[in-house]
Amino acid sequence: MKSTLEPGLTHRFSFTVPETKTVPCLYPEAPEFQEMPQVFATGFMVGLMEWACVQLLAPHLDAGEGSLGVHIDVSHTAATPPGFTVAVEAECVAVDGRKVAFRVRAHDGVDPIGEGRHERMVVAWDKFNARVGAKAAAVSVAG
Protein backbone atom coordinates (compact mmCIF):
# COMPACT_ATOMS: atom_id res chain seq x y z
CA MET A 1 0.00 0.00 0.00
CA LYS A 2 1.34 3.41 -0.94
CA SER A 3 1.84 6.26 1.49
CA THR A 4 -0.54 8.36 -0.65
CA LEU A 5 -3.54 6.71 1.02
CA GLU A 6 -4.67 9.07 3.77
CA PRO A 7 -7.80 10.35 5.50
CA GLY A 8 -9.64 13.04 3.60
CA LEU A 9 -9.43 11.43 0.16
CA THR A 10 -12.82 11.24 -1.58
CA HIS A 11 -14.32 9.48 -4.56
CA ARG A 12 -17.72 9.80 -6.23
CA PHE A 13 -19.26 7.06 -8.35
CA SER A 14 -22.61 6.93 -10.19
CA PHE A 15 -24.62 3.92 -11.32
CA THR A 16 -27.97 3.70 -13.09
CA VAL A 17 -30.14 1.08 -11.38
CA PRO A 18 -31.33 -1.67 -13.77
CA GLU A 19 -34.27 -3.96 -12.99
CA THR A 20 -31.73 -6.72 -12.23
CA LYS A 21 -30.59 -4.83 -9.10
CA THR A 22 -34.02 -4.76 -7.45
CA VAL A 23 -35.18 -6.75 -4.41
CA PRO A 24 -36.74 -9.68 -6.34
CA CYS A 25 -33.37 -10.21 -8.09
CA LEU A 26 -31.29 -10.28 -4.91
CA TYR A 27 -32.05 -13.95 -4.23
CA PRO A 28 -34.32 -15.20 -7.03
CA GLU A 29 -34.71 -18.53 -5.18
CA ALA A 30 -36.26 -16.76 -2.16
CA PRO A 31 -40.05 -16.58 -2.60
CA GLU A 32 -40.23 -13.92 0.12
CA PHE A 33 -38.10 -11.60 -2.01
CA GLN A 34 -40.25 -12.28 -5.07
CA GLU A 35 -43.22 -10.73 -3.27
CA MET A 36 -41.36 -7.48 -2.48
CA PRO A 37 -41.45 -4.28 -4.55
CA GLN A 38 -39.17 -3.83 -7.53
CA VAL A 39 -36.89 -1.19 -5.98
CA PHE A 40 -33.11 -0.98 -5.52
CA ALA A 41 -32.17 -3.72 -3.03
CA THR A 42 -30.26 -2.92 0.14
CA GLY A 43 -27.77 -5.69 -0.65
CA PHE A 44 -27.00 -4.12 -4.02
CA MET A 45 -26.72 -0.66 -2.43
CA VAL A 46 -24.12 -2.06 -0.02
CA GLY A 47 -22.23 -3.53 -2.98
CA LEU A 48 -22.33 -0.18 -4.75
CA MET A 49 -20.89 1.51 -1.66
CA GLU A 50 -18.12 -1.09 -1.52
CA TRP A 51 -17.42 -0.55 -5.21
CA ALA A 52 -16.91 3.19 -4.66
CA CYS A 53 -14.47 2.45 -1.83
CA VAL A 54 -12.58 -0.07 -3.98
CA GLN A 55 -12.24 2.59 -6.67
CA LEU A 56 -11.00 5.15 -4.12
CA LEU A 57 -8.35 2.68 -2.93
CA ALA A 58 -7.17 1.47 -6.35
CA PRO A 59 -4.56 4.14 -7.15
CA HIS A 60 -3.03 3.76 -3.69
CA LEU A 61 -2.40 0.01 -3.82
CA ASP A 62 0.77 -1.74 -4.89
CA ALA A 63 0.86 -4.38 -7.62
CA GLY A 64 -0.72 -7.63 -6.42
CA GLU A 65 -2.76 -5.93 -3.70
CA GLY A 66 -6.50 -5.63 -3.37
CA SER A 67 -9.01 -5.12 -0.61
CA LEU A 68 -11.79 -7.02 1.08
CA GLY A 69 -14.79 -5.64 2.93
CA VAL A 70 -14.60 -6.50 6.63
CA HIS A 71 -17.31 -4.31 8.17
CA ILE A 72 -20.41 -2.45 7.00
CA ASP A 73 -22.81 -0.34 9.03
CA VAL A 74 -25.21 1.58 6.80
CA SER A 75 -28.79 2.73 6.72
CA HIS A 76 -31.09 2.41 3.71
CA THR A 77 -33.70 5.14 4.11
CA ALA A 78 -35.47 5.66 0.76
CA ALA A 79 -36.71 3.49 -2.09
CA THR A 80 -35.18 3.93 -5.55
CA PRO A 81 -36.99 2.68 -8.67
CA PRO A 82 -35.11 1.18 -11.63
CA GLY A 83 -33.83 3.79 -14.07
CA PHE A 84 -32.70 6.24 -11.38
CA THR A 85 -29.00 7.04 -11.10
CA VAL A 86 -27.50 6.54 -7.66
CA ALA A 87 -24.43 8.58 -6.76
CA VAL A 88 -22.20 7.23 -4.00
CA GLU A 89 -19.67 9.39 -2.20
CA ALA A 90 -16.88 7.63 -0.34
CA GLU A 91 -14.45 9.38 1.99
CA CYS A 92 -11.42 7.76 3.60
CA VAL A 93 -11.70 8.63 7.29
CA ALA A 94 -8.95 6.45 8.80
CA VAL A 95 -5.97 4.32 7.83
CA ASP A 96 -4.80 1.90 10.54
CA GLY A 97 -2.14 -0.36 9.08
CA ARG A 98 -3.90 -2.43 6.44
CA LYS A 99 -7.41 -1.50 7.69
CA VAL A 100 -9.06 1.46 5.96
CA ALA A 101 -12.30 3.09 7.14
CA PHE A 102 -14.70 5.06 4.96
CA ARG A 103 -17.77 7.22 5.34
CA VAL A 104 -20.23 6.41 2.55
CA ARG A 105 -23.36 8.21 1.34
CA ALA A 106 -25.76 7.45 -1.48
CA HIS A 107 -28.32 9.71 -3.21
CA ASP A 108 -30.72 8.85 -6.04
CA GLY A 109 -31.14 12.36 -7.41
CA VAL A 110 -34.32 12.91 -5.41
CA ASP A 111 -33.54 11.59 -1.93
CA PRO A 112 -30.57 10.60 0.18
CA ILE A 113 -31.01 6.82 0.23
CA GLY A 114 -28.29 5.56 2.54
CA GLU A 115 -25.24 6.39 4.58
CA GLY A 116 -22.87 4.91 7.07
CA ARG A 117 -19.44 3.42 7.61
CA HIS A 118 -17.47 0.77 5.78
CA GLU A 119 -14.11 -0.85 6.50
CA ARG A 120 -11.83 -2.70 4.11
CA MET A 121 -8.65 -4.68 4.69
CA VAL A 122 -5.82 -4.35 2.16
CA VAL A 123 -4.44 -7.77 1.27
CA ALA A 124 -1.80 -9.33 -0.95
CA TRP A 125 -3.86 -11.48 -3.32
CA ASP A 126 -1.29 -14.29 -3.53
CA LYS A 127 -1.25 -14.76 0.26
CA PHE A 128 -5.02 -14.43 0.54
CA ASN A 129 -5.68 -16.92 -2.26
CA ALA A 130 -3.23 -19.40 -0.71
CA ARG A 131 -5.12 -19.24 2.64
CA VAL A 132 -8.48 -19.71 0.94
CA GLY A 133 -7.09 -22.61 -1.09
CA ALA A 134 -5.77 -24.27 2.07
CA LYS A 135 -9.15 -23.82 3.76
CA ALA A 136 -10.99 -25.36 0.79
CA ALA A 137 -8.54 -28.26 0.69
CA ALA A 138 -8.97 -28.89 4.44
CA VAL A 139 -12.74 -29.10 4.03
CA SER A 140 -12.56 -31.44 1.05
CA VAL A 141 -10.17 -33.76 2.96
CA ALA A 142 -12.41 -33.73 6.08
CA GLY A 143 -15.61 -34.26 4.10
Side-chain angles (χ1 to χ4, degrees):
M1 186 168 53
K2 298 178 174 120
S3 61
T4 56
L5 180 61
E6 57 188 27
L9 293 173
T10 61
H11 180 69
R12 184 179 169 97
F13 174 73
S14 295
F15 179 80
T16 301
V17 177
E19 289 186 13
T20 58
K21 298 297 186 242
T22 61
V23 178
C25 297
L26 188 58
Y27 278 97
E29 55 277 280
E32 297 85 356
F33 284 168
Q34 300 311 303
E35 298 169 4
M36 292 185 184
Q38 194 172 26
V39 294
F40 192 38
T42 301
F44 289 126
M45 183 190 75
V46 166
L48 197 62
M49 290 172 163
E50 287 195 83
W51 192 1
C53 294
V54 167
Q55 288 186 338
L56 186 155
L57 279 173
H60 307 283
L61 299 180
D62 292 320
E65 288 182 325
S67 67
L68 301 164
V70 295
H71 185 84
I72 188 88
D73 182 10
V74 297
S75 61
H76 190 178
T77 56
T80 302
F84 277 54
T85 298
V86 173
V88 176
E89 294 179 14
E91 178 184 1
C92 177
V93 295
V95 179
D96 182 12
R98 296 181 305 120
K99 188 173 13 173
V100 184
F102 303 88
R103 181 174 57 221
V104 289
R105 294 181 177 143
H107 197 287
D108 68 9
V110 176
D111 295 309
I113 65 166
E115 66 179 320
R117 182 176 171 86
H118 177 47
E119 293 178 355
R120 301 190 69 76
M121 187 69 68
V122 175
V123 299
W125 285 131
D126 58 347
K127 292 178 183 177
F128 177 81
N129 289 331
R131 285 192 303 270
V132 171
K135 183 176 185 177
V139 169
S140 65
V141 168

